[in-house]
Amino acid sequence: MAGRNGRTVRDLRRGNRTAVLQRLYFDGPLSRFELGPATGLSSGSVSNVVADLVADGLVEEAGSVESDGGRPRTLLRVAPHSGQMIGVDVGETRVRVELFDLALTELARAEHPLTPQGYDVDVVVGHIRDGIAEVLRAEQAAPERLLGVGVGVPGIVEHTAERGAVVHGQTIGWDAVPLEELLRAASPLPEGATYFIDNGAKTLGQAEMWFGAGRGARNAVVVLFGSGVGACLVTPEVEHGRAVEWGHLTVRVRGRRCRCGAPGCLEAYAGAESLLARWREEGGRPPADAEEETALTAMLAAAYPPEGGTADPVALAVLEETAEYLGAGLSDLINLFQPERILIGGWAGLQLGTRFLPAVRRHATTYALAYPAHKVTIDLGRLGPDAVTVGAAILPLADFFGRGGHRHEPAPQDRHPAWRTALEERTPR
């Protein structure tokens, strides 16, 4: 029966379960007494919801705490082993697949390298399929508890009722690729589990906002700095985050050709791929046939040798120029969105790390307007190179919370609203 606002009793129960699960997940362990004011539910509602969740195996006791003059209060938490999620990062050099429990503890992983021509759709789908099969064969895997598979990809992700997630990845040669449809055909999941696909910078941003350096911020930009660059914007209006194609901001008219085909994009100057290419063009000598990560390590060693060594002036000049382009690009984000924090993640951003950060901060402040520049902090992300897979795994987890801890296979037209609503309703502080 629906109430005046159109919500049924079932909707209310699901909402109450969601409120208790999320509060226990982010702020637990908590007692029943603490859950009342934390969720806004009456003590009777809390008792009923907790009893249901305990009976479903989703909530368990986690010790006790002394109360003022009364019996000790039992603490509760979300049971880590009551569900599992898979996160997938379709990165520049490899496809990484990780299996997590509900506490986002890694249980298993698989990695499949990508060649420079590795963005062939069939190759990527095959790597994801094989990686999922590998982690589901792991000793701690429980396929019957799998909530879903989250996938972070380069490019713009369009969610359609007919074909699920469709990827527009111009820089990798993907034109309206129906990735969700292809994955469902190539790698069927256990009953009750499904695929959730979104932009990799967005999944990185969600991970940092939920569990990393973004916690507590209302306005933030999380930057993915790898072979290319991207960003995720989080504001009160888009609390679940929105991917922005920041790497294709024009920073130089008639400039270097970007891999998207346009001239003068930020990515043509600030991504690791272009950084190494510019070093080579200026006379530098990156290791022959080395992966980008190895070549960037060599470039850093050349530019910043141990004490007593002689710096390679070409490598140093290219890195300093890259810091200026990156800082100028960040200044545009500062002026446009006035964030409290900018966080830099991705393998190249973390590899350049604290040595690179002071110059980036200095240039960002120089190019930005003084008032928003004074309010922003620029730091590295805290979750390391696995942040995209962690963020991808959050997608099925958010869907699980949005359904109040209930699992079922949604119809195609209902595939995404629950996880989007859960992400919008609760960014942990």
Side-chain angles (χ1 to χ4, degrees), residues 85-91 93-100 106-114 124 126-138 141 149-150 385-386 389:
M85 303 85 64
I86 292 175
V88 179
D89 174 14
V90 180
T93 59
R94 63 180 58 82
V95 173
R96 177 182 288 127
V97 182
E98 296 183 60
L99 175 71
F100 301 93
E106 182 187 312
L107 304 177
R109 76 160 55 199
E111 293 192 357
H112 293 264
L114 288 171
V124 171
H127 285 339
I128 296 174
R129 177 198 63 216
D130 294 344
I132 290 171
E134 288 171 39
V135 299
L136 287 180
R137 287 197 300 267
V149 176
D386 290 347
T389 44

Side-chain angles (χ1 to χ4, degrees), residues 23 95 98 147 191 224 287 303 349:
R23 186 60 68 175
V95 173
E98 296 183 60
L147 305 179
E191 185 178 357
L224 176 60

Side-chain angles (χ1 to χ4, degrees), residues 210-408:
W210 278 38
F211 302 108
R215 286 196 63 139
R218 293 282 290 169
N219 299 275
V221 175
V222 184
V223 171
L224 176 60
F225 182 8
S227 289
V229 291
C232 173
L233 168 69
V234 181
T235 71
E237 293 76 26
V238 283
E239 204 165 17
H240 59 294
R242 182 181 74 220
V244 290
E245 290 295 329
W246 175 60
H248 302 290
L249 182 82
T250 302
V251 295
R252 189 165 181 173
V253 176
R254 293 186 294 276
R256 290 175 60 87
R257 185 72 58 179
C258 177
R259 58 182 181 171
C260 75
C265 292
L266 175 63
E267 188 168 294
Y269 295 91
E273 181 179 296
S274 64
L275 191 159
L276 292 167
R278 284 163 44 231
W279 184 31
R280 188 180 299 108
E281 290 164 10
E282 295 295 326
R285 296 184 178 180
D289 301 322
E291 289 187 355
E292 283 184 350
E293 295 177 35
T294 303
L296 186 57
T297 299
M299 185 178 188
L300 283 168
Y304 307 108
E307 188 174 348
T310 302
D312 176 347
V314 174
L316 186 59
V318 171
L319 283 168
E320 289 177 345
E321 184 184 43
T322 300
E324 184 168 5
Y325 274 113
L326 192 59
L330 293 181
S331 75
D332 290 321
L333 296 176
I334 293 169
N335 291 341
L336 286 170
F337 304 116
Q338 300 182 29
E340 300 167 47
R341 300 178 197 173
I342 293 176
L343 306 173
I344 299 176
W347 67 265
L350 296 174
Q351 195 167 334
L352 291 169
T354 54
R355 186 183 293 275
F356 202 58
L357 206 54
V360 172
R361 288 191 185 115
R362 184 174 66 254
H363 291 303
T365 301
T366 299
Y367 284 101
L369 293 170
Y371 178 71
H374 178 71
K375 294 174 62 178
V376 72
T377 61
I378 302 174
D379 292 297
L380 296 177
R382 293 180 187 164
L383 297 182
D386 290 347
V388 173
T389 44
V390 171
I394 287 174
L395 302 181
L397 177 63
D399 175 76
F400 182 63
F401 287 156
R403 299 186 187 283
H406 294 297
R407 297 178 54 197
H408 70 81

